[in-house]
Structure formats: C-alpha cells, structure tokens
Amino acid sequence: MYSQTIGSMTWQFDDLRSLMAKASPARSGDALAGIAAASDAERAAAQMALADVPLTQFLDEAVIPYETDEVTRLIIDTHDAQAFAPVRHLTVGGFRDWLLSESATGQVLAALAPGLTPEMAAAVSKLMRVQDLILVGRKLRVVTAFRGTLGLAGRMSTRLQPNHPTDDPAGIAASLLDGLLYGNGDAMFGINPASDSLPAIIELLKMLDGVIQRYEIPTQACVLTHVTSSIAAIERGAPLDLVFQSIAGTEAANASFGVSLKVLQEGYDAGLSLKRGTVGNNLMYFETGQGSALSANAHHGVDQQTCEARAYAVARHFNPFLVNTVVGFIGPEYLYNGKQIIRAGLEDHFCGKLLGVPMGCDICYTNHAEADQDDMDTLMTLLGTAGVNFIMGIPGSDDVMLNYQTTSFHDALYVRQVLGLRPAPEFEAWLAHTGILGQQGAEWRLGTRMPTAFAGALAHIR
C-alpha cells in the first residue's frame, strides 16, 4: 500500500496500478472507468506519493500480471538491465529531475531507452508540466529509414492522407497532387480504405506505387488495412511498402483488434521479405490512441495513459518506421476537451520517444468534443517545438472518409516556416528538383510555379 499525508489528511492507494491512475492529470476516460482521483487534492497526493516510488519497483510490481498478459511478458522479458543501470538508483521524482538536467543528453537518453519500461515512462510523465514534456521531448531523436530518413533534428515530416469515401482513384490522385504541391508526403502516402476487400486494397497499393515510381518520389506508401490483409496482399505480389496495424497496450485489447505478438511478427517478416526499402528497412506503421484499451473493456483497471505507453513497448519490438498516436480520434468519452487532448498528445510524444519509438501525432478531434481548430493549432505548434517526427496532411484538415478534424497541408507548411523545420532530406532534394521548393536565402519556400512534370497529371484529373 502507498500513502501520502498532507496536513491532517492521509490518502492511501492500494497498489501501483491505483496510484498511477490517481496521479494522472484529469481526463474523462479515467473518470468513465471509475479509477480517476476524486479531487485535485487526491491527485496531488498521488503525484507526491508516486514521486517517491523507486524506479526498480516497476520491475517488481506489474500493473497487469505477467502470467495473464503477453504485453507484460514482452516488457519484462526484453528489459535491458545494463541500459537501466545509470538510473536504477533513482525514484520517479528523481528521474524527472535528471531528465530535465543537462546530463540527460539525446545520446544518453537513446542508450537508456531499452532499459526503461512503459510504466516508468508513464509515471514520470504524470509529474511533468507541459514545458517539461516539450523540453525532454526535444532532446530525443529517433531516426528511421525506408526510402526516406525521418526523425532527424531540424526536420518534420508529414503523412499525406488522401482518403476518399468511395476510394475513387481520381479523388485520391487530386489529394495526392494537392499535398505534394504543399511539400507534404515525405513520411508516406497513407490511405484509410473505404473497403476491406483484398482486390480493392491491392488496386490502391498499385495506384500509390505507380505514382511513386512515375514521379520518382523518395517516399513510401501504405494502405491502412489489417495486418493479415497486408500479408495476403504480399502473398499475391502486391507492391506493399509499409505494414500497418492498430495496436494497444494489453493482450486483450490487441485481441479485440484481431492481433497478437505472433501475428505482428508474421506481418513484419512478410514486409521484410519484399526488400523494398532503399535507405533502410524500418517498415512497420502502428497507430495507437489513449482510450483504446478502455473502449474494448480490456484495460484491467489501468489508466488510459499508462495503457497507451504499454502499446509503445509492442511497437518498439518490431523496429517501426512510424508510430502515430491518433490523439483525439476516439472521442470526448476519453479525452473530453482541447486541454485534455493537448496534454495527451504531448504525453504520448514524450513517452514514445523516451522508449525509443519514432513518434508522430494525428492532431485531431471529433466534432462532438469540446475542442476546435485553435486547440489543434496549439498542439501542432507545441509538438513541432518538441520535435515530433511527423504529423498528418489532409485536404482542408477535414477527413471526408473518417469524419474527423485534423491538420491540413498548409498547417504543415505553417509549422515548417515558423519553426524553421524542413522535410526529410531525400524528399527535400526531390521537391527542389521538381521546383515545388525553392531556396530564398537560407530558407526553403514553396515554389511559385506548377512543376512541369505535374501539368499533365492535373489536366487528367480535371
């Protein structure tokens, strides 16, 4: 039992799982689950008690039992004791102070990542202010490569998301062209398909590959279908670059997605067999989101932010190219308003990077949440400052297929201009070669003319 006395009041917390839940910044999902702190005073007491917990306690006390959950077994069995040694003596509060110190350089933190468990990362994030999450997040660079190199300092990539409610090729092509002319797409071209039909998925893969090959674009494509469909598409000879799957932080939640660690390994091996990368072989694309385990009734009483961090342990096991927290997509039942969405996005980025995961963020909200585009502008700017690997690029920031609000092509242009960020180096060179980007002094700006290579494509779409 953990306890904390403040004045004449003593709060007691039954176990580490309960303590972590009560210490979480307020969010609607934990309240819905009945595990949140009952008051700000209880939350403060829990945070104070959590600050005194030794980091080694997370190796001795699992929030979900080892015997019943394969994600817990993965976390414990792959823990690197040697990497953990430099911080082994610290408490959670001491770990926070150390992370904020000049001793915790990017190189030091990269070496530490295999020695940290998701619960350690989640715990320390609960003690951090927004500025702390940004400061430490900015130190952390997780670099991956396929046809382009993502995560380098001074760069921010975008997923060009040309979704269409009927998977119409002309509509998808129009969105692709629009995004490319704003300098989007270096993270990937990624379509959420309207159909789960394998032939339809293969046709979309062929279309995206055709665009990449025709215009010699140094990027990668992905159709966000179930991993077993990707395996089947590979078996049929489809030109598949990245293997996608939504994942969560518990075995039961992953089972609700129809996956296990074994199935993910099969997808990873199938993707590697194609050898389609040119500058690297990171090829898994995972999406996560706070509240997914709770929505599947598979959270085991663990708070949603800790469950989310546990999903990053699953992701890092497969050397992903990209991991994307779709932060406000599930709805206000889990993240009620703009304040909660902003906090969650920064927590996810911090925890993912601390664990060695190449984090991006779909900065988004549903129309029934107490949030608006100003909140998304705030989170987008903060994440750009924190060094996020990539964000979304969607026409007009309105996804007409999934019916939610996210970030647009020109939003990414804004962040790059204001913060001096650039695309992936291979993609930047291609943009300059085609005339989409031009250099003005020390800065890269969008070109002032339509690239000759795209003139015919635009005419065909019209």
Side-chain angles (χ1 to χ4, degrees):
M1 183 174 291
Y2 301 87
S3 66
Q4 182 67 39
T5 299
I6 303 176
S8 60
M9 184 70 181
T10 297
W11 283 267
Q12 293 187 339
F13 311 96
D14 292 339
D15 50 30
L16 193 54
R17 177 176 59 189
S18 174
L19 178 63
M20 294 271 281
K22 299 293 195 259
S24 283
R27 60 207 58 199
S28 53
D30 292 336
L32 178 69
I35 60 175
S39 65
D40 289 339
E42 184 182 24
R43 182 173 297 107
Q47 289 172 343
M48 293 172 69
L50 182 61
D52 291 333
V53 173
L55 290 180
T56 52
Q57 183 66 17
F58 293 94
L59 301 176
D60 297 331
E61 183 181 349
V63 296
I64 301 175
Y66 180 95
E67 297 77 14
T68 60
D69 186 89
E70 69 172 1
V71 177
T72 299
R73 292 194 290 274
L74 175 70
I75 291 167
I76 299 301
D77 294 348
T78 61
H79 179 254
D80 188 331
Q82 185 175 354
F84 179 58
V87 298
R88 181 180 177 85
H89 63 289
L90 295 175
T91 62
V92 176
F95 185 41
R96 172 192 174 273
D97 294 342
W98 179 80
L99 286 171
L100 293 169
S101 74
E102 294 182 358
S103 299
T105 64
Q107 185 176 2
V108 169
L109 292 174
L112 176 65
L116 297 177
T117 69
E119 291 83 359
M120 294 176 192
V124 74
S125 76
K126 298 176 192 299
L127 306 184
M128 302 179 92
R129 296 170 57 185
V130 162
Q131 63 175 258
D132 300 337
L133 297 171
I134 293 172
L135 178 61
V136 179
R138 188 174 177 83
K139 298 180 184 182
L140 298 157
R141 310 308 311 183
V142 182
V143 179
T144 58
F146 191 76
R147 290 199 193 97
T149 306
L150 270 60
L152 295 168
R155 298 182 184 271
M156 185 193 74
S157 298
T158 61
R159 169 187 161 189
L160 204 169
Q161 187 170 315
N163 292 346
H164 192 278
T166 63
D167 290 338
D168 177 65
I172 292 170
S175 294
L176 283 172
L177 178 59
D178 190 20
L180 286 170
L181 293 177
Y182 275 99
N184 281 246
D186 52 334
M188 67 168 172
F189 299 162
I191 297 176
N192 298 88
S195 170
D196 289 330
S197 161
L198 185 59
I201 289 165
I202 291 175
E203 285 304 308
L204 288 174
L205 287 168
K206 289 180 178 178
M207 176 190 177
L208 294 176
D209 184 63
V211 172
I212 289 171
Q213 299 303 326
R214 177 178 177 181
Y215 296 107
E216 299 180 333
I217 308 172
T219 191
Q220 36 284 317
C222 183
V223 174
L224 280 66
T225 187
H226 196 271
V227 63
T228 55
S229 296
S230 293
I231 294 170
I234 290 171
E235 291 172 346
R236 295 193 184 188
L240 186 147
D241 294 335
L242 305 182
V243 177
F244 167 78
Q245 183 56 49
S246 292
I247 58 172
T250 73
E251 179 179 348
N254 284 324
S256 75
F257 292 144
V259 297
S260 64
L261 297 179
K262 181 177 182 294
V263 171
L264 293 176
Q265 185 67 53
E266 291 171 359
Y268 179 50
D269 292 340
L272 284 176
S273 71
L274 297 181
K275 300 179 180 178
R276 291 176 59 83
T278 57
V279 297
N281 60 2
N282 301 110
L283 54 82
M284 298 299 286
Y285 174 53
F286 294 118
E287 286 194 345
T288 67
Q290 288 194 29
S292 58
L294 175 58
S295 68
N297 195 29
H299 63 294
H300 301 279
V302 177
D303 68 271
Q304 65 183 39
Q305 192 254 332
T306 300
C307 282
E308 172 72 3
R310 284 169 56 93
Y312 305 151
V314 176
R316 72 176 173 182
H317 187 62
F318 298 100
N319 304 310
F321 181 62
L322 303 167
V323 177
N324 178 30
T325 170
V326 191
V327 64
F329 182 73
I330 302 181
E333 299 85 358
Y334 306 96
L335 296 170
Y336 179 71
N337 55 20
K339 180 180 177 66
Q340 292 186 10
I341 291 172
I342 290 168
R343 171 80 194 190
L346 292 168
E347 287 172 349
D348 294 351
H349 176 260
F350 164 83
C351 288
K353 288 284 189 67
L354 193 60
L355 294 168
V357 171
M359 287 303 299
C361 184
D362 190 343
I363 301 161
C364 62
Y365 65 101
T366 57
N367 288 315
H368 61 310
E370 289 295 322
D372 57 29
Q373 209 63 44
D374 284 344
D375 296 314
M376 301 307 103
D377 285 351
T378 299
L379 178 54
M380 177 173 57
T381 306
L382 294 175
L383 282 170
T385 304
V388 70
N389 279 30
F390 75 103
I391 63 172
M392 302 295 110
I394 294 177
S397 73
D398 183 6
D399 192 308
V400 296
M401 185 270 185
L402 294 175
N403 293 309
Y404 77 113
Q405 310 304 311
T406 179
T407 48
S408 70
F409 301 141
H410 64 271
D411 288 336
L413 181 63
Y414 145 75
V415 176
R416 284 172 172 168
Q417 288 182 341
V418 167
L419 299 179
L421 301 173
R422 296 157 66 179
E426 299 87 354
F427 194 77
E428 181 182 57
W430 178 83
L431 290 172
H433 175 71
T434 58
I436 295 174
L437 279 186
Q439 194 165 14
Q440 299 179 8
E443 295 185 347
W444 288 96
R445 298 288 182 178
L446 284 182
T448 58
R449 61 181 177 83
M450 168 73 70
T452 304
F454 291 149
L458 184 60
H460 173 71
I461 291 168
R462 285 174 175 167

